[in-house]
Amino acid sequence: MGLGRWIRDKPAFLERAYQVSYATIKWLRPLILKLGFKRASRLILPVERFSKRLLFDCKMCGQCTLHETGMVCPMTCPKHLRNGACGGVRSNGNCEVIPEMRCVWVVAYERAQDMQIFGPEMISIKPPANHTLTNSSAWINKISELDQSAPKGWAEIPHNPVIEKKFLDEDS
Ligand code: SF4
């Protein structure tokens, strides 16, 4: 079993790691602002791409929602659904499109049950991916708040109440 597959089964650990990563990026914010988003992105993007591909089979959507989806990447769903399962989940919990694969959303729901901090975020409404952000750094997009931009026709993404409680309160 590879490192990625092994660690994906540790959602409680992963949500802690996410918390630490987010705190680190926030700590680096002044430096990132000084460098400028473009230059900072050139440094952060390769690290982000390598680590998230290894750990989550990340598709670099640029708008990371892992903490809201049981630390399971919703872009690994063959239909790229970001707001819950389609109507075609098989009775054994497998995918309609790839029958031998577990439905990403079934796995996400199961893993969210083990997550004390971000698990409840599973029920938040998530718009589809904004494809203008594909292949950009989700961390830089979080700092610049570009990750709040929803695709055309969707309202802006509301600030996440759990994130606000855990992190943004510390800013005030
Ligand atoms: S949600 Fe986006 S950034 Fe996060 S792991 Fe999936 S593809 Fe990568």
Side-chain angles (χ1 to χ4, degrees):
M1 185 188 283
L3 174 68
R5 290 189 64 183
W6 178 79
I7 213 160
R8 277 173 224 165
D9 284 334
K10 314 276 178 293
F13 169 77
L14 286 173
E15 71 173 342
R16 286 280 172 207
Y18 176 84
Q19 219 181 7
V20 170
S21 309
Y22 189 31
T24 307
I25 286 289
K26 270 189 65 181
W27 180 72
L28 289 172
R29 191 172 191 273
L31 180 65
I32 291 171
L33 292 178
K34 224 177 196 173
L35 278 174
F37 291 131
K38 262 193 184 159
R39 260 195 289 176
S41 184
R42 261 182 246 135
L43 297 173
I44 290 177
L45 192 60
V47 181
E48 185 176 332
R49 184 180 281 125
F50 175 79
S51 55
K52 283 163 83 173
R53 277 205 177 142
L54 178 72
L55 297 176
F56 305 109
D57 195 17
C58 169
K59 308 298 183 198
M60 296 304 290
C61 75
Q63 214 170 12
C64 200
T65 183
L66 278 169
H67 54 94
E68 295 176 319
T69 54
M71 300 306 289
V72 173
C73 174
M75 301 305 280
T76 57
C77 160
K79 298 183 183 180
H80 292 175
L81 295 180
R82 285 170 71 98
N83 203 27
C86 69
V89 186
R90 293 167 191 266
S91 54
N92 63 356
N94 282 11
C95 172
E96 172 181 55
V97 181
I98 307 174
E100 59 278 12
M101 171 182 150
R102 291 266 289 154
C103 168
V104 165
W105 283 96
V106 170
V107 178
Y109 177 80
E110 288 169 354
R111 293 193 177 156
Q113 307 309 304
D114 290 334
M115 291 167 53
Q116 300 296 316
I117 307 166
F118 300 110
E121 291 186 351
M122 271 294 289
I123 59 166
S124 67
I125 295 174
K126 298 169 254 310
N130 180 348
H131 292 293
T132 63
L133 300 177
T134 303
N135 283 326
S136 60
S137 163
W139 284 121
I140 295 290
N141 294 340
K142 182 162 276 307
I143 294 289
S144 66
E145 297 198 347
L146 255 184
D147 70 331
Q148 299 297 310
S149 59
K152 215 172 164 200
W154 280 76
E156 285 299 292
I157 302 168
H159 278 294
N160 183 308
V162 179
I163 287 270
E164 276 185 12
K165 192 164 183 311
K166 294 278 168 207
F167 300 106
L168 301 183
D169 285 354
E170 293 163 17
D171 287 342
S172 51

